[in-house]
Amino acid sequence: MNTALSWIKAYVPDLECSDQEYFDKMTLSGTKVEGYERLDKNLEKIVVGQIEKIERHPDADKLIVCQVNVGNGTIQIVTGASNVKEGDKVPVVLDGGKVAGGHDGGPLPEDGIKIKAGKLRGVPSDGMMCSIEELGSDRNMYPEAPEEGIYIFPEDVKTGADAVELLGLRDTVFEYEVTSNRVDCYSILGIAREAAATFRKPFVPPVVEVKENGEDVNSYIAVEVEDKDLCTRYCARVCKNIKIGPSPEWMQRRLAASGIRPINNLVDITNYVMEEYGQPMHAFDLDTVAGNKIIVRRAKDGEEFQTLDGQIRKLDSDILMICDAEKEIGIAGIMGGENSKITDQVKTVLFEAATFNGANIRRSAKRLGLRTDASGKFEKGLDPNNAKAAIDRACQLIQELGCGEVVGGTVDACEPIKENPSVKFEPERINKFLGTDISKEEMLTIFKMLEFEYDEERSEIKAPSFRQDIGCFADIAEEVARFYGYDKIPVSLPNGEATTGKLPFKLRVEEKAREIAEFCGFSQGMCYSFESPKVFDKLMLPKDSGYRNAVKISNPLGEDFSIMRTLSLNGMLTSLSVNYNRRNKNVRLYELGNVYLPKQMPVSELPEERMQFTLGMYGEGDFFTMKGVVEEFFDSLGMKKKAVYDPKAGKEYLHPGRQANIIYQGETVGYLGEVHPEVCDNYEIGTKTYVAVLDMPKIVAFATFDRKYEGIAKYPAVTRDISMVVPKNILVGQIEEMITQRGGKILESCSLFDIYEGAQIREGFKSVAYSISFRAKDRTLEEADVSAAMKKILNGLESMGIELRS
């Protein structure tokens, strides 16, 4: 939203402040100003001059020598402009003055262009006459300016007057960042109302009195709203005997300062009211409205409609249309139709001001690929009361500017308007909430400035209809705070009882995952949740893999971001690939991120989101290094029972002989392994790469942070070492499980300290050596205790086909 300060001052006439002061105070009171720009930037010493005499240049056919009266004397100016004549009044830059830019209308230099007296082809020139481009504007904003040449003022301007002020350039344009809930501030009146409250000045809105003829508008037009859920109010007025011409200079200047190109009086009035009231309007040529009837209804699927921009738009039944008795004549809230546009031959105009369903307008504009200034306002949800006020203002301007004659009355198809809720006024609670000591009277003064009503009997505050953002106690407390002054609110400690705050259990587990990963040398990475379907082929997943059933994005940035990931490996391998190809030697990365698993295909509900703890590395370390990190993590979560590693994981993207599912208490909680060499090639990783993926919801179910203290053992341990010849198909995990099962209560630990395969061991077998430790908590163990436990262990191992090595 852009506004010229002069337009704001038209409704806050006592407002006196510098540009920076306005910027600071408006921002502090909640109407955030993004920036501002002086329209007269780099325009210095520019006055109105009258050309008294023109002569040909003695040495240049295309130059002329002008004697120009600048009010306090006559100066000589040499120019190449061909559109000037004696008696013309033109903008003149005096010696030492500045202009904003060059005559070619190119980018404006930051510091402008300084003009100095000198000679042109040997003839002295004491200044320069200006085109509108040299004054920092263009013909879009000053349509009366010549296409090429010097700008010429009307005859009645005073010689020597300030040319910049006459052009309306002694002004500042402010740009605001308006939040969507403050739809009232998408208007000049809304911003002016905020400025009046901020500076504690009277707000003086325009007085609207429409002078009508004695006719009845109902004899000209009828309105029928079929889809009342999409159009809660439709106001129509008629103006006859229309005279198309230029709008007055003051209106053109205000529109131009807001970035709107003046066109003619009729178009300018609708644009002016849209900016002033924040209410989009549309004008139809009534002679093109068949049956003198307006019907507001949904379009039919597959229909086509040509809009004012000449484009054919394909419609559907969710798009609201403005129709006459025979055809569509406009897309509601977005753009009118080519078949009812205003031409210079128009005689009778039908004005429309309505309130449409904001969400429907936004969706319709998006489907049509047609977003306009009007749709941008409608989609935020307008105040129904504003439609009648705006259409009356437009008709007032029609009459005052001599543009036409206003037919009496308004056709108003209106649903019951919902009133804003009343909010209990509790000054003590507001002060406690804000940490302030503001009097009740001062609060009521603020509410009065904002046009809020106060019901003293019920002690309630009721906001005006244009403040649709007001609905609860916090809203009115905010109004008090921002106009009392955020800078005046003292610093205070929060009230309330002290409580012990801590993270939820799930987040504590995730925090422990980060801690262990970083302790083991892993750095955290962040990967995209959106992926390409091509990753499934890179990971060598079978065509019938369930992981290929991914949620598709309806409006993706591109094919590479068109689905929600079902596996976390692609992002990790991509990150490892980038590091490898940048020649980082030893890389360890981890990620905590969701995968998105659809509950059914096609997708009819939100997918299941599962947090995955993904580890990836290459360089120093191997399969067992990664296994150690996983077990360190389990141990930190109090998962004391032994995890089982099943080598029959069946992961196509992992090396067939170096992968395993991680099973804890019979539940598969993840997997780890070496990445398949072909997958490494697909990701351009030229070295062995290891990954582990843990499913955090399953891990959380087993985790505990409860710890039981056990004192230092009082009695000594007894250790036995055994060396075994073991069939190769038996895993050390199976051996440890048997030792643990048979060792009984006195078994303290067992640790693998040697594995050997070679010529001294017969084919199909391997040598495995364990150190087994026994200890009792209540006594010193005797030889018989240890021997009995060892016998049970050895019998169990023999039952597995394992022999003691002699």
Side-chain angles (χ1 to χ4, degrees), residues 424 474 547:
K424 192 74 175 175
Y547 289 119

Side-chain angles (χ1 to χ4, degrees), residues 327-361:
K327 61 187 182 300
E328 296 88 356
I329 58 174
I331 303 176
I334 301 176
M335 185 177 282
E338 181 74 17
N339 56 9
S340 61
K341 69 179 181 179
I342 299 292
T343 66
D344 291 343
Q345 288 71 46
V346 65
K347 298 300 179 187
T348 307
V349 166
L350 169 66
F351 276 120
E352 159 198 286
T355 305
F356 301 116
N357 181 282
N360 176 263
I361 296 298

Side-chain angles (χ1 to χ4, degrees), residues 305-552:
F305 179 70
Q306 186 175 17
T307 46
L308 276 171
D309 58 2
Q311 300 294 314
I312 302 295
R313 310 286 177 177
K314 191 169 183 179
L315 309 176
D316 60 55
S317 58
D318 288 328
I319 296 174
L320 190 66
M321 300 297 293
I322 309 299
C323 310
D324 61 20
E326 298 175 356
K327 61 187 182 300
E328 296 88 356
I329 58 174
I331 303 176
I334 301 176
M335 185 177 282
E338 181 74 17
N339 56 9
S340 61
K341 69 179 181 179
I342 299 292
T343 66
D344 291 343
Q345 288 71 46
V346 65
K347 298 300 179 187
T348 307
V349 166
L350 169 66
F351 276 120
E352 159 198 286
T355 305
F356 301 116
N357 181 282
N360 176 263
I361 296 298
R362 179 176 57 81
R363 289 192 294 265
S364 298
K366 186 174 181 181
R367 285 199 299 276
L368 293 168
L370 180 62
R371 196 171 190 273
T372 59
D373 289 342
S375 68
K377 285 183 166 62
F378 275 121
E379 67 187 24
K380 294 173 177 64
L382 299 183
D383 171 21
N385 290 311
N386 202 34
K388 180 66 167 64
I391 202 169
D392 287 345
R393 174 63 165 162
C395 290
Q396 177 193 33
L397 291 171
I398 288 284
Q399 187 271 326
E400 287 184 353
L401 302 184
C403 185
E405 179 184 344
V406 181
V407 173
T410 305
V411 178
D412 189 0
C414 182
E415 291 297 291
I417 298 175
K418 183 180 178 182
E419 292 188 357
N420 279 9
S422 296
V423 180
K424 192 74 175 175
F425 179 47
E426 303 169 279
E428 297 82 5
R429 185 184 174 194
I430 291 175
N431 276 322
K432 186 177 180 181
F433 185 66
L434 299 177
T436 55
D437 187 20
I438 307 171
S439 67
K440 175 182 177 180
E441 291 70 24
E442 186 167 1
M443 292 184 190
L444 290 174
T445 299
I446 291 172
F447 291 136
K448 185 177 180 181
M449 289 190 305
L450 296 172
E451 301 180 28
F452 287 36
E453 296 177 5
Y454 173 52
D455 186 333
E456 190 171 1
E457 289 185 5
R458 303 177 64 180
S459 190
E460 289 181 343
I461 295 292
K462 184 177 180 181
S465 63
F466 57 79
R467 288 300 303 274
Q468 298 180 49
D469 59 306
I470 303 297
C472 64
F473 163 78
D475 294 329
I476 65 169
E478 180 186 11
E479 298 302 299
V480 171
R482 67 193 188 96
F483 289 109
Y484 171 72
Y486 290 123
D487 55 329
K488 297 179 184 177
I489 297 177
V491 176
S492 59
L493 292 172
N495 295 323
E497 298 178 0
T499 58
T500 302
K502 63 179 180 180
L503 291 173
F505 185 77
K506 170 179 173 291
L507 297 184
R508 291 175 66 195
V509 174
E510 292 175 12
E511 188 176 53
K512 183 60 70 174
R514 294 186 187 91
E515 179 184 317
I516 296 300
E518 289 166 11
F519 172 79
C520 295
F522 288 76
S523 298
Q524 186 171 12
M526 298 291 288
C527 303
Y528 288 116
S529 296
F530 298 163
E531 292 186 336
S532 166
K534 297 176 183 176
V535 303
F536 301 131
D537 294 330
K538 290 179 73 175
L539 292 171
M540 302 197 309
L541 288 177
K543 297 297 182 184
D544 59 351
S545 172
Y547 289 119
R548 289 181 178 266
N549 295 326
V551 177
K552 294 182 179 179

